[in-house]
Amino acid sequence: MVELAKSQLPEGTLFEVISETPKCLPDAAHILTMCSRGNGRLHIVNLGRYAVTLFDKHSGEGVRVWVDAKKLNDWPEIKSWMLKTKPKREQNSDALLDELCRAKEAVLSCSPVTVDMRRVRVKNMGAIALCPICQEPYPAQDGGVCRGCAGEAPYLGETVSDASPALSAVPVEEAVGKAALHDMTEISKDAKGPAVSAGEVIEQNSVERLRDMGKRHIYLAAGSDPGPDWAHENEAAVAMAKAMAGEGVRFSEPPREGKITFIAERNGLLVVDQDRLRAFNLAPDVMVATRQSYVMVDKDRPFAGCRPIPLYIRRERLAGALATLAGEPLFRVLELKPLKTSILVTGQEVYEGRVQDRFIPIISAKLEQLGAPVLSTEIAPDNRQAIVAAVQRMREAGAELIVTTAGLSVDPDDVTRFGLLDAGLSDVVYGAPILPGSMLLLGRIEHTRVIGVPACGLHHKTTGFDLVLPRVLAGAPIGRRDLARMAEGGFCLQCKACTYPKCPFGK
Ligand code: ZN
């Protein structure tokens, strides 16, 4: 097949190979052409057909060769072998080989093809990172840890929490007077906290209760020193919590049943580093679960928890998991700053008094709810110079945030965006994957932040403005990438009775 294809190509063509099956044919092509999977010149496109194509690597022009079923009738052994019409034990391999050697190209057909080069282009590996868990280099585009450490390795016992140190377990009745190794929890609807805590001496009167809990054996603290390679769940949980808690976050100590809860130190905006959250949870034997990033959290309320999975975790695994955090906290609760805000309404119809403004009360209420004082309000006509002048007055009065309304559509009379640009708007992001609120505009004029609220802010109780305002007040950066992440969950259900922020919008 390869020879037939080669003979149809012009002499000296620099070619690559497509095998339409992963079975046998790629090996032959590799040996006969020097095109291999490793050098990127042998492409296996599994169409399930026994066919091979050689093509010019620049133009895509080539020749496809296949086993032609119509030509097999003169070759019964080849036919029954190819079509599997005879059980293997009934095949005569000598006769088959004899037919193959005699038939050669007689059972093949070929035709010219043009390969769609986009379908066979070898993707660039991109940047290389060092996996924080196994310390081996891997393509950074695979994520925070390598695919092997992410659970794709085919080796038994590599990622499952099977290993544990030798611990001393004794029957419950022999445990009286000795200290327990870990918290033991009663599973009942009115149980609060552990029945026996780690380090607590087990009393005679606890024996029946422990038996009721289904315990027949108990791990004792004494005699259960697993050695320096292992960290107890409580020690590991504290190490994890210390590495994760950032500004505005505290955590509960000691751990309860190996688990630590994170608590907001103040009212504010929860910011979670989503990439490192995922990388950490890809590491074996540990977990952390949290409320969604960018939700508002209340002071003294829990929002996340972490723990190791086994009672003892290998120290190297704990270190690997902690390394995914890259020395930066995972959680922060940012304070919303009371930015002095000016509201700029644009629109000829409102300016001329034909239409009563409704934006100022709506926006003012939303700002006040988040503690941002309204410094001034203005209504400007659809005129670039007028918008520039209004923005200047607001900034001179000390506005730290300007919320401009309307005039952000594709309408030719809408000059708000151009007026803002004339006034020096920079770092502009226009358009967001949020419905309603897709015509959102974000930017700044020197140190004054600017939010452009599209007209849907009038008709809908909750829009993209409600999603970005807390972030702007908290000083969290919002770039194109941040907005792109808002796409998932950025579709409002438009419920009759809006329950935002308790609904899935923005989450
Ligand atoms: Zn790895």
Side-chain angles (χ1 to χ4, degrees):
M1 293 172 76
V2 171
E3 289 306 321
L4 176 59
K6 252 192 204 169
S7 71
Q8 305 291 307
L9 290 177
E11 192 77 28
T13 304
L14 192 56
F15 63 83
E16 297 191 353
V17 176
I18 292 171
S19 171
E20 294 187 17
T21 171
K23 302 210 185 271
C24 311
L25 203 45
D27 298 347
H30 179 180
I31 293 164
L32 295 169
T33 67
M34 301 303 289
C35 293
S36 71
R37 292 280 278 165
N39 67 23
R41 291 174 55 202
L42 169 60
H43 311 273
I44 297 174
V45 181
N46 187 4
L47 306 178
R49 301 188 297 203
Y50 209 76
V52 70
T53 296
L54 269 60
F55 63 97
D56 184 309
K57 69 170 282 181
H58 300 295
S59 67
E61 305 293 330
V63 181
R64 177 174 183 267
V65 176
W66 68 98
V67 177
D68 193 329
K70 294 191 292 291
K71 297 181 179 174
L72 288 176
N73 288 332
D74 299 335
W75 309 94
E77 290 298 326
I78 299 178
K79 185 174 182 178
S80 67
W81 172 63
M82 282 296 299
L83 304 182
K84 284 199 163 71
T85 53
K86 243 195 234 177
K88 204 162 189 169
R89 59 190 145 75
E90 286 171 30
Q91 275 170 13
N92 181 339
S93 38
D94 291 336
L96 174 62
L97 279 173
D98 176 61
E99 276 191 13
L100 284 169
C101 290
R102 285 188 294 122
K104 294 203 174 92
E105 295 171 7
V107 293
L108 306 177
S109 286
C110 68
S111 73
V113 288
T114 305
V115 175
D116 180 352
M117 299 299 281
R118 289 171 306 177
R119 301 285 295 270
V120 295
R121 192 155 290 145
V122 178
K123 281 190 199 81
N124 194 310
M125 255 170 120
I128 300 296
L130 209 58
C131 174
I133 296 175
C134 66
Q135 303 297 327
E136 292 181 40
Y138 73 103
Q141 65 193 15
D142 288 352
V145 301
C146 80
R147 298 169 80 117
C149 293
E152 291 182 35
Y155 313 117
L156 288 172
E158 273 293 301
T159 55
V160 282
S161 178
D162 57 340
S164 69
L167 298 173
S168 135
V170 298
V172 175
E173 52 278 9
E174 290 173 29
V176 174
K178 293 172 181 145
L181 182 62
H182 59 94
D183 292 354
M184 280 171 273
T185 309
E186 188 168 12
I187 309 299
S188 83
K189 61 180 187 303
D190 34 48
K192 286 196 181 76
V196 175
S197 300
E200 190 181 324
V201 173
I202 295 165
E203 309 278 352
Q204 183 63 47
N205 59 15
S206 302
V207 169
E208 284 308 309
R209 191 170 171 205
L210 287 166
R211 284 214 179 107
D212 289 347
M213 287 159 61
K215 310 253 178 239
R216 292 189 299 125
H217 293 85
I218 305 263
Y219 285 134
L220 296 179
S224 282
D225 179 13
D229 293 343
W230 300 87
H232 184 268
E233 59 178 5
N234 286 0
E235 181 200 338
V238 171
M240 285 157 57
K242 279 186 177 154
M244 290 175 185
E247 68 165 297
V249 176
R250 62 185 160 85
F251 57 87
S252 59
E253 266 192 285
R256 299 290 292 267
E257 291 134 46
K259 185 188 78 191
I260 280 190
T261 302
F262 295 91
I263 298 152
E265 267 186 326
R266 56 188 175 213
N267 296 330
L269 184 75
L270 173 64
V271 180
V272 182
D273 188 312
Q274 291 152 313
D275 292 332
R276 289 185 299 118
L277 175 73
R278 184 169 172 273
F280 185 85
N281 278 313
L282 283 171
D285 289 353
V286 294
M287 64 75 63
V288 56
T290 176
R291 290 193 64 196
Q292 210 118 18
S293 194
Y294 299 116
V295 298
M296 296 290 291
V297 290
D298 295 329
K299 185 175 189 293
D300 296 331
R301 293 295 296 268
F303 65 84
C306 72
R307 64 166 303 153
I309 301 297
L311 179 56
Y312 280 94
I313 177 172
R314 275 191 193 279
R315 283 193 190 278
E316 59 184 26
R317 285 203 174 168
L318 177 60
L322 293 175
T324 64
L325 299 174
E328 295 276 332
L330 202 53
F331 303 121
R332 291 180 298 152
V333 173
L334 301 181
E335 199 170 14
L336 299 201
K337 300 208 175 58
L339 297 185
K340 288 185 284 230
T341 306
S342 292
I343 303 174
L344 172 61
V345 178
T346 60
Q348 204 68 30
E349 72 289 5
V350 188
Y351 183 73
E352 288 173 5
R354 289 167 184 273
V355 174
Q356 163 93 46
D357 167 67
R358 291 194 293 135
F359 261 121
I360 291 172
I362 291 173
I363 301 297
S364 299
K366 291 185 176 187
L367 286 164
E368 272 156 26
Q369 203 178 8
L370 294 177
V374 176
L375 183 70
S376 64
T377 63
E378 273 203 47
I379 299 172
D382 287 324
N383 173 299
R384 288 164 79 145
Q385 288 79 27
I387 292 167
V388 172
V391 166
Q392 250 153 17
R393 278 191 293 278
M394 290 172 168
R395 295 189 59 232
E396 276 160 20
E400 296 166 295
L401 170 65
I402 295 175
V403 178
T404 112
T405 53
L408 291 166
S409 71
V410 290
D411 189 319
D413 290 326
D414 267 336
V415 294
T416 309
R417 196 151 46 94
F418 304 106
L420 292 170
L421 288 168
D422 291 348
L425 186 71
S426 63
D427 293 353
V428 189
V429 190
Y430 177 47
I434 305 168
L435 288 170
S438 56
M439 300 297 225
L440 199 72
L441 177 141
L442 295 164
R444 60 182 181 83
I445 299 170
E446 288 174 17
H447 298 299
T448 309
R449 303 283 300 253
V450 176
I451 308 177
V453 185
C456 61
L458 267 183
H459 323 297
H460 300 281
K461 188 163 180 296
T462 306
T463 70
F465 176 64
D466 300 86
L467 300 187
V468 300
L469 181 60
R471 299 199 198 191
V472 169
L473 294 178
I478 314 176
R480 176 51 61 195
R481 194 177 145 83
D482 303 289
L483 285 176
R485 279 203 156 129
M486 294 168 85
E488 195 177 338
F491 183 83
C492 174
L493 291 174
Q494 319 246 350
C495 308
K496 277 205 183 81
C498 178
T499 60
Y500 181 82
K502 287 191 174 163
C503 71
F505 184 53
K507 298 180 186 78

